[in-house]
Amino acid sequence: MATLDLFAQPEPSGSSASLAERVAQLQKQLHEHAHRYYVLDDPQIPDAEYDRLFRELQALEAAHPELRSPDSPTLRVGGKPLAQFASVRHKVPMLSIRTETDTEATGAQNFDTRVRKELGLTEADPPVEYAAELKFDGLAMSLRYEHGVLVQAATRGDGETGEDVTQNIRTINQIPLRLPADAPPVIEVRGEVYMRRDDFESLNEKQREKIAQGAKGEKTFVNPRNAAAGAVRQLDPAIAAQRPLSFFAYGLGEITPAEQGGPSFETHYGMLQTLKSWGFPVAAQVECAQGATELIAYHQRMGAARDSLPFDIDGVVYKVNSLALQRQLGFVTREPRWAVAHKYPAQEQLTTVEAIDVQVGRTGKLTPVAKLAPVFVGGVTVTNATLHNEDEARRKDVRVGDTVIVRRAGDVIPEVVSVLLDKRVADAPQFTMPRVCPVCGSAAVREEGEADYRCTGGLFCGAQRKEAILHFAHRRAVEVEGLGDKLVEQLVDANVIRTLPDLYKLGLTALASLERMAEKSANNLLEALEKSKQTTLPRFLFGLGIRHVGEATAKELARHFGKLDAIMDATEEQLLEVSDVGPIVAKSLRTFFDQPHNREVVEQLRACGVTWEEGEPAARAPQPFSGKTFVITGTLPTLSRDEAKERVEAAGGKVAGSVSKKTDYVVAGSEAGSKLVKAQELGVAIIDEAALLLMLDSPGA
């Protein structure tokens, strides 16, 4: 599928004048984009779009060499060095290698065919051995050592002249400052400075915190490569030291010759192993491959592992392993004949936003989604990209009609990385989250301190139907034995049940018709449903799935009010009188029961025969554990964990799942594990079941 071309130009008519204009236009565009990418660290188009423009210029210049100017981007490797850094002339140029754009197996096959032809090999000759490596998405670097000491670090620059960034590179702990005694008097190690994905996320999180605190001039980074380039080009090494950078070695520049005491390498792979022995990090994925077949297998294997790597790659690199054969093959123009980069489908591309829709998740979360003009990215055609929430959509300022960079890596949901503001349509309206659910029309609310809006029609909303039914049937709620995920999926997808009351209207015929549902299984489910009709008020209340209302809160509400109608009609002020209810829970309860369709579902469940015992509000029992937090771990002699939890909560205490400094007691049974150890480390009081029961019987505990 062709990539969406947002920079498409009219095809040249074929005249020398129109061809010259197109070549000049491409050269100008590429110079501008390279300047933004390498000098300003502010890329405006994805790498894939830059590569496409570059290939078009290459093709035109190859067909019309007279149009290639001395400063054409095709005769250069990168951008100009920054004026703030001293220039470094590379004694051995840092040339780039040819890119094989065919992402399928033919890319490796084509390279092997060219190499064998250049070497004069026939089909009867054995396969050529290659070193296969990852193509890192970072910043190329040359490290110069003299007499074992790092004396200079330089960027690639334009291939001939780079920038002296020694002070910043010294901050990378992976890079040795001194080499062992067997290292040659002079050696330049070539490699890639990059940023790990986890380090990149941590850095951006810190940047977001600075922005939230009102820091001026701060920004988040587009991707790890952009962040690494920005760190290397920091004028203040102290700031660079705060940016977590890493390094992989993959080649050599100048080196003392063997006849003058330097090492004698026979293969590229052997050279990398020596660098590794000298303390340089070398990627573990470097392999030797015999012929095209093994190159193809390597490309496929690394492609499958790409998204699980802790760093970004955009392809793999094949190099003829024998250094003698490399010398025999030599170079053509700006590229070695003995190496090629075999890329993967681009993970970032340009496209346009055609609309912004709002999707409702299983739990009621509203998520804005950008509807995109179809674009091939990350190996698939993408038409949707998540905007996460209203704050994120506003932060990125994504609007309908915008030209955006969209990214997809593996199975990760595609997302909009950034907007090209200079291409924005005039008067494009800012996105605003709707205040009603687009599925059911219920109110959409955003609670204080949260980023997401949520639909309040939990029992009524079609998007939340499956989740609501599963929660209602949970063993801690009304408990419908045998009603699990797959069965609920079938029932809802087949439109057999639409709301909770439909569960109690199921018949044997409808159930038996479902896939893999035998008559016996159907009868068992019907019996479980009938049994579930006899429940308790706390279980029923918990089963409604009201946000923030857990088991303990449901018990307190039932104990305080005695009747469901009293809870449904209680004001926020009355709800706040319940010991386990705060402002957020009170508001959530009020919002839920203010929705007419939620009340209707409750009444329908009652009409279906779901019942529980009700009574007057219970007199306030002594609360010996009020304000105390317990953690229960291990196996107790007589009480199950659920029974112990109920006893603690009935006495006003809270039961937490993990131990912290706020924990008052840990109730430990046999085979208590890490929680007991954590309690001992923190000095938390540790008691057994007997002590717990004694405390429960002591009102003054």
Side-chain angles (χ1 to χ4, degrees), residues 559-614:
R559 186 180 296 117
H560 184 89
F561 289 100
K563 298 179 181 179
L564 179 61
D565 287 341
I567 298 171
M568 293 170 62
D569 296 335
T571 64
E572 284 191 37
E573 290 74 17
Q574 290 171 327
L575 289 168
L576 287 170
E577 294 175 5
V578 181
S579 62
D580 203 38
V581 173
I584 292 177
V585 178
K587 186 175 182 61
S588 182
L589 281 159
R590 196 63 271 136
T591 300
F592 181 89
F593 287 120
D594 280 343
Q595 299 295 317
H597 40 251
N598 286 339
R599 285 178 171 261
E600 182 181 346
V601 169
V602 171
E603 293 311 314
Q604 288 181 12
L605 285 170
R606 279 172 157 168
C608 289
V610 180
T611 185
W612 53 87
E613 288 187 13
E614 289 190 336

Coordinates of all heavy atoms in Angstrom, one line a residue, residues 559-614:
R559 N -25.5 -1.4 56.7 CA -25.6 -1.3 58.2 C -26.1 0.0 58.6 O -26.9 0.0 59.6 CB -24.2 -1.6 58.8 CG -24.2 -1.7 60.3 CD -22.7 -1.9 60.8 NE -22.2 -3.2 60.3 CZ -21.1 -3.3 59.6 NH1 -20.5 -2.2 59.2 NH2 -20.7 -4.4 59.2
H560 N -25.7 1.1 58.0 CA -26.2 2.4 58.4 C -27.6 2.7 58.0 O -28.4 3.2 58.9 CB -25.3 3.5 57.7 CG -25.5 4.9 58.2 ND1 -24.9 5.4 59.2 CD2 -26.4 5.8 57.7 CE1 -25.4 6.7 59.4 NE2 -26.3 6.9 58.4
F561 N -28.0 2.3 56.8 CA -29.4 2.7 56.3 C -30.4 1.6 56.5 O -31.6 1.8 56.6 CB -29.3 3.1 54.9 CG -28.7 4.5 54.7 CD1 -27.3 4.5 54.2 CD2 -29.3 5.6 54.9 CE1 -26.7 5.8 54.0 CE2 -28.7 6.9 54.7 CZ -27.4 6.9 54.3
G562 N -30.0 0.3 56.5 CA -30.9 -0.8 56.6 C -31.6 -1.2 55.4 O -31.9 -2.4 55.2
K563 N -32.0 -0.2 54.5 CA -32.8 -0.5 53.4 C -32.2 0.2 52.1 O -31.6 1.2 52.2 CB -34.3 0.0 53.6 CG -35.0 -0.6 54.7 CD -36.4 0.0 54.9 CE -37.1 -0.7 56.0 NZ -38.5 -0.1 56.2
L564 N -32.4 -0.5 51.0 CA -31.9 0.0 49.7 C -32.5 1.3 49.3 O -31.8 2.3 48.9 CB -32.1 -1.0 48.6 CG -31.5 -0.6 47.2 CD1 -30.0 -0.3 47.2 CD2 -31.9 -1.6 46.1
D565 N -33.8 1.4 49.5 CA -34.5 2.7 49.1 C -34.0 3.9 49.9 O -33.8 5.0 49.4 CB -36.0 2.6 49.4 CG -36.7 1.7 48.4 OD1 -36.1 1.5 47.3 OD2 -37.8 1.2 48.6
A566 N -33.6 3.6 51.2 CA -33.0 4.7 52.0 C -31.7 5.2 51.4 O -31.3 6.4 51.4 CB -32.9 4.3 53.4
I567 N -30.9 4.2 50.9 CA -29.6 4.5 50.3 C -29.8 5.3 49.0 O -29.2 6.3 48.8 CB -28.8 3.2 50.1 CG1 -28.5 2.5 51.4 CG2 -27.5 3.6 49.4 CD1 -27.9 1.1 51.2
M568 N -30.8 4.8 48.2 CA -31.0 5.4 46.9 C -31.5 6.9 47.1 O -31.2 7.7 46.2 CB -32.0 4.6 46.1 CG -31.5 3.2 45.7 SD -32.8 2.1 45.1 CE -33.3 3.0 43.6
D569 N -32.2 7.1 48.1 CA -32.8 8.5 48.3 C -32.0 9.4 49.2 O -32.3 10.6 49.4 CB -34.2 8.4 48.9 CG -35.2 7.6 47.9 OD1 -34.9 7.7 46.7 OD2 -36.1 7.0 48.4
A570 N -30.9 8.9 49.8 CA -30.1 9.7 50.7 C -29.4 10.9 50.0 O -28.9 10.7 48.9 CB -29.1 8.8 51.4
T571 N -29.3 12.0 50.7 CA -28.6 13.1 50.1 C -27.1 12.9 50.4 O -26.7 12.0 51.1 CB -29.0 14.4 50.9 OG1 -28.6 14.3 52.3 CG2 -30.5 14.6 50.8
E572 N -26.3 13.7 49.7 CA -24.8 13.6 49.9 C -24.5 13.8 51.4 O -23.6 13.1 51.9 CB -24.1 14.6 49.0 CG -24.0 14.2 47.6 CD -23.0 15.0 46.8 OE1 -22.0 15.4 47.3 OE2 -23.3 15.4 45.6
E573 N -25.2 14.7 52.0 CA -24.9 15.0 53.4 C -25.2 13.8 54.3 O -24.4 13.4 55.2 CB -25.7 16.2 53.9 CG -25.2 17.5 53.3 CD -25.6 17.7 51.9 OE1 -26.5 17.0 51.4 OE2 -25.1 18.6 51.2
Q574 N -26.3 13.1 54.0 CA -26.7 11.9 54.8 C -25.7 10.8 54.5 O -25.4 10.0 55.4 CB -28.1 11.5 54.4 CG -29.2 12.5 54.9 CD -30.6 12.1 54.3 OE1 -30.7 11.7 53.2 NE2 -31.6 12.4 55.1
L575 N -25.3 10.7 53.3 CA -24.3 9.6 52.9 C -23.0 9.8 53.6 O -22.3 8.9 54.0 CB -24.1 9.6 51.4 CG -25.3 9.1 50.5 CD1 -25.0 9.3 49.1 CD2 -25.4 7.5 50.7
L576 N -22.6 11.1 53.8 CA -21.3 11.4 54.5 C -21.3 11.0 56.0 O -20.3 10.9 56.6 CB -21.0 12.9 54.3 CG -20.6 13.3 52.9 CD1 -20.5 14.8 52.9 CD2 -19.2 12.7 52.6
E577 N -22.5 10.7 56.5 CA -22.6 10.2 57.9 C -22.1 8.8 58.1 O -21.8 8.4 59.2 CB -24.0 10.4 58.4 CG -24.5 11.8 58.5 CD -26.0 11.9 58.8 OE1 -26.6 10.8 59.1 OE2 -26.6 13.0 58.8
V578 N -22.0 8.1 56.9 CA -21.5 6.7 57.0 C -20.0 6.7 57.2 O -19.3 7.5 56.5 CB -21.9 5.9 55.7 CG1 -21.4 4.5 55.7 CG2 -23.4 6.0 55.5
S579 N -19.6 5.8 58.1 CA -18.1 5.9 58.5 C -17.2 5.7 57.3 O -16.1 6.2 57.3 CB -17.9 4.8 59.6 OG -18.1 3.5 59.1
D580 N -17.6 4.9 56.3 CA -16.6 4.5 55.3 C -16.9 5.4 54.0 O -16.4 5.0 52.9 CB -16.7 3.0 54.9 CG -15.5 2.5 54.2 OD1 -14.4 2.9 54.6 OD2 -15.6 1.7 53.3
V581 N -17.7 6.4 54.1 CA -18.0 7.2 52.9 C -17.5 8.6 53.1 O -17.7 9.3 54.1 CB -19.6 7.3 52.8 CG1 -20.0 8.2 51.7 CG2 -20.1 5.9 52.5
G582 N -16.7 9.0 52.0 CA -16.2 10.4 52.0 C -16.9 11.1 50.8 O -17.8 10.6 50.2
P583 N -16.4 12.4 50.5 CA -17.1 13.2 49.5 C -17.1 12.5 48.1 O -18.1 12.6 47.4 CB -16.2 14.5 49.5 CG -15.6 14.5 50.9 CD -15.4 13.1 51.3
I584 N -16.0 11.9 47.7 CA -16.0 11.3 46.4 C -17.0 10.1 46.3 O -17.7 10.0 45.3 CB -14.5 10.8 46.1 CG1 -13.6 12.0 45.9 CG2 -14.5 9.9 44.8 CD1 -12.1 11.6 45.7
V585 N -17.0 9.3 47.3 CA -18.0 8.1 47.3 C -19.4 8.6 47.3 O -20.3 8.1 46.6 CB -17.7 7.2 48.5 CG1 -18.7 6.0 48.5 CG2 -16.3 6.6 48.4
A586 N -19.7 9.6 48.2 CA -21.0 10.2 48.3 C -21.5 10.7 47.0 O -22.6 10.5 46.6 CB -21.0 11.3 49.4
K587 N -20.6 11.5 46.3 CA -21.0 12.0 45.0 C -21.2 10.9 44.0 O -22.1 11.0 43.1 CB -19.9 13.0 44.5 CG -20.2 13.8 43.3 CD -19.1 14.8 42.9 CE -19.5 15.6 41.7 NZ -20.7 16.3 41.8
S588 N -20.4 9.9 44.0 CA -20.5 8.8 43.1 C -21.8 8.1 43.3 O -22.5 7.7 42.3 CB -19.4 7.8 43.2 OG -19.4 6.8 42.3
L589 N -22.2 7.8 44.5 CA -23.5 7.2 44.8 C -24.7 8.1 44.3 O -25.6 7.6 43.7 CB -23.6 7.0 46.3 CG -22.9 5.8 46.9 CD1 -22.7 5.9 48.4 CD2 -23.7 4.5 46.6
R590 N -24.6 9.3 44.6 CA -25.7 10.2 44.3 C -25.8 10.3 42.7 O -26.9 10.3 42.2 CB -25.4 11.6 44.9 CG -26.5 12.6 44.9 CD -27.7 12.2 45.8 NE -28.7 11.4 45.0 CZ -29.3 10.3 45.4 NH1 -29.0 9.8 46.6 NH2 -30.1 9.6 44.7
T591 N -24.7 10.4 42.0 CA -24.7 10.5 40.6 C -25.3 9.2 40.0 O -26.1 9.3 39.0 CB -23.2 10.6 40.0 OG1 -22.7 11.8 40.5 CG2 -23.2 10.7 38.5
F592 N -24.9 8.0 40.5 CA -25.5 6.8 40.0 C -27.0 6.7 40.2 O -27.7 6.4 39.3 CB -24.8 5.6 40.8 CG -25.2 4.2 40.3 CD1 -24.5 3.6 39.3 CD2 -26.3 3.6 40.9 CE1 -24.9 2.3 38.8 CE2 -26.7 2.3 40.5 CZ -26.0 1.7 39.4
F593 N -27.5 7.0 41.4 CA -28.9 6.8 41.6 C -29.7 8.0 41.1 O -31.0 7.9 41.1 CB -29.2 6.6 43.1 CG -28.7 5.2 43.6 CD1 -27.8 5.1 44.6 CD2 -29.3 4.1 43.1 CE1 -27.4 3.8 45.1 CE2 -28.9 2.8 43.5 CZ -27.9 2.7 44.5
D594 N -29.1 9.0 40.6 CA -29.8 10.1 40.0 C -30.1 9.8 38.5 O -30.9 10.5 37.9 CB -29.0 11.4 40.1 CG -29.1 12.1 41.4 OD1 -30.0 11.7 42.2 OD2 -28.3 13.0 41.7
Q595 N -29.5 8.7 38.0 CA -29.8 8.3 36.6 C -31.1 7.5 36.6 O -31.1 6.4 37.2 CB -28.6 7.5 36.0 CG -27.3 8.3 36.0 CD -27.4 9.5 35.0 OE1 -28.0 9.4 33.9 NE2 -26.9 10.6 35.4
P596 N -32.2 7.9 36.0 CA -33.4 7.1 36.0 C -33.3 5.7 35.5 O -33.9 4.8 36.1 CB -34.3 7.9 35.1 CG -33.8 9.3 35.1 CD -32.3 9.2 35.2
H597 N -32.4 5.5 34.5 CA -32.3 4.1 34.0 C -31.6 3.2 35.0 O -31.9 2.0 35.0 CB -31.6 4.1 32.7 CG -30.5 5.0 32.5 ND1 -30.5 6.1 31.7 CD2 -29.2 5.0 33.1 CE1 -29.3 6.7 31.8 NE2 -28.5 6.1 32.6
N598 N -30.7 3.7 35.8 CA -30.1 2.9 36.9 C -31.2 2.4 37.9 O -31.2 1.3 38.3 CB -29.0 3.6 37.6 CG -27.7 3.7 36.7 OD1 -27.6 2.9 35.7 ND2 -26.9 4.7 37.0
R599 N -32.0 3.3 38.3 CA -33.1 3.0 39.2 C -34.1 2.0 38.6 O -34.6 1.1 39.2 CB -33.9 4.3 39.6 CG -33.2 5.1 40.6 CD -34.0 6.4 40.9 NE -33.4 7.1 42.0 CZ -33.8 7.1 43.3 NH1 -34.8 6.3 43.6 NH2 -33.3 7.8 44.2
E600 N -34.3 2.2 37.3 CA -35.2 1.2 36.6 C -34.7 -0.2 36.6 O -35.4 -1.2 36.8 CB -35.4 1.7 35.1 CG -36.4 0.9 34.3 CD -36.5 1.3 32.9 OE1 -36.1 2.5 32.6 OE2 -37.1 0.6 32.1
V601 N -33.3 -0.3 36.4 CA -32.7 -1.6 36.4 C -32.9 -2.3 37.8 O -33.2 -3.5 37.9 CB -31.2 -1.5 36.0 CG1 -30.5 -2.9 36.3 CG2 -31.1 -1.2 34.5
V602 N -32.7 -1.5 38.8 CA -32.8 -2.0 40.2 C -34.2 -2.5 40.4 O -34.5 -3.6 40.9 CB -32.5 -0.9 41.2 CG1 -32.9 -1.4 42.6 CG2 -31.0 -0.6 41.2
E603 N -35.3 -1.7 39.9 CA -36.6 -2.2 40.1 C -37.0 -3.4 39.3 O -37.7 -4.3 39.8 CB -37.6 -1.0 39.7 CG -37.5 0.2 40.6 CD -37.6 -0.2 42.1 OE1 -38.5 -1.0 42.5 OE2 -36.8 0.3 42.9
Q604 N -36.4 -3.5 38.1 CA -36.6 -4.7 37.3 C -36.0 -6.0 38.0 O -36.6 -7.1 37.9 CB -36.0 -4.5 35.9 CG -36.8 -3.6 35.0 CD -36.2 -3.4 33.6 OE1 -35.4 -4.2 33.2 NE2 -36.7 -2.4 32.9
L605 N -34.8 -5.8 38.6 CA -34.2 -6.9 39.3 C -35.1 -7.4 40.4 O -35.2 -8.6 40.7 CB -32.8 -6.5 39.8 CG -31.7 -6.4 38.7 CD1 -30.5 -5.8 39.3 CD2 -31.4 -7.8 38.1
R606 N -35.6 -6.4 41.1 CA -36.5 -6.8 42.2 C -37.8 -7.5 41.7 O -38.2 -8.5 42.2 CB -37.0 -5.5 42.9 CG -36.0 -5.0 44.0 CD -36.5 -3.6 44.4 NE -35.9 -3.3 45.8 CZ -36.0 -2.1 46.3 NH1 -36.6 -1.1 45.7 NH2 -35.5 -1.8 47.5
A607 N -38.3 -7.0 40.5 CA -39.5 -7.7 39.9 C -39.2 -9.1 39.5 O -40.1 -9.9 39.4 CB -40.0 -6.8 38.8
C608 N -37.9 -9.3 39.1 CA -37.5 -10.7 38.7 C -37.3 -11.6 39.9 O -37.0 -12.8 39.7 CB -36.2 -10.6 37.9 SG -36.3 -9.9 36.3
G609 N -37.5 -11.1 41.1 CA -37.4 -12.0 42.3 C -36.1 -11.9 43.1 O -35.9 -12.6 44.0
V610 N -35.2 -11.0 42.7 CA -34.0 -10.8 43.5 C -34.3 -10.1 44.8 O -35.0 -9.0 44.8 CB -32.9 -9.9 42.7 CG1 -31.7 -9.8 43.5 CG2 -32.6 -10.6 41.4
T611 N -34.0 -10.8 45.9 CA -34.5 -10.2 47.2 C -33.4 -10.4 48.2 O -32.4 -11.2 48.1 CB -35.8 -11.0 47.6 OG1 -36.3 -10.4 48.8 CG2 -35.5 -12.5 47.8
W612 N -33.6 -9.7 49.3 CA -32.6 -9.7 50.5 C -33.4 -9.3 51.7 O -34.4 -8.6 51.6 CB -31.4 -8.8 50.2 CG -31.8 -7.4 49.8 CD1 -32.1 -6.4 50.7 CD2 -32.1 -6.9 48.5 NE1 -32.5 -5.3 50.0 CE2 -32.5 -5.5 48.7 CE3 -32.0 -7.4 47.2 CZ2 -32.8 -4.7 47.6 CZ3 -32.3 -6.6 46.1 CH2 -32.7 -5.3 46.3
E613 N -32.8 -9.6 52.8 CA -33.5 -9.1 54.1 C -33.1 -7.6 54.3 O -32.0 -7.2 54.1 CB -32.9 -10.0 55.2 CG -33.5 -11.4 55.3 CD -33.1 -12.1 56.5 OE1 -32.6 -11.4 57.5 OE2 -33.2 -13.3 56.6
E614 N -34.1 -6.9 54.7 CA -33.9 -5.5 55.1 C -34.4 -5.3 56.5 O -35.2 -6.1 57.0 CB -34.7 -4.6 54.1 CG -34.0 -4.6 52.7 CD -34.6 -3.5 51.8 OE1 -35.8 -3.1 52.1 OE2 -33.9 -3.0 50.9

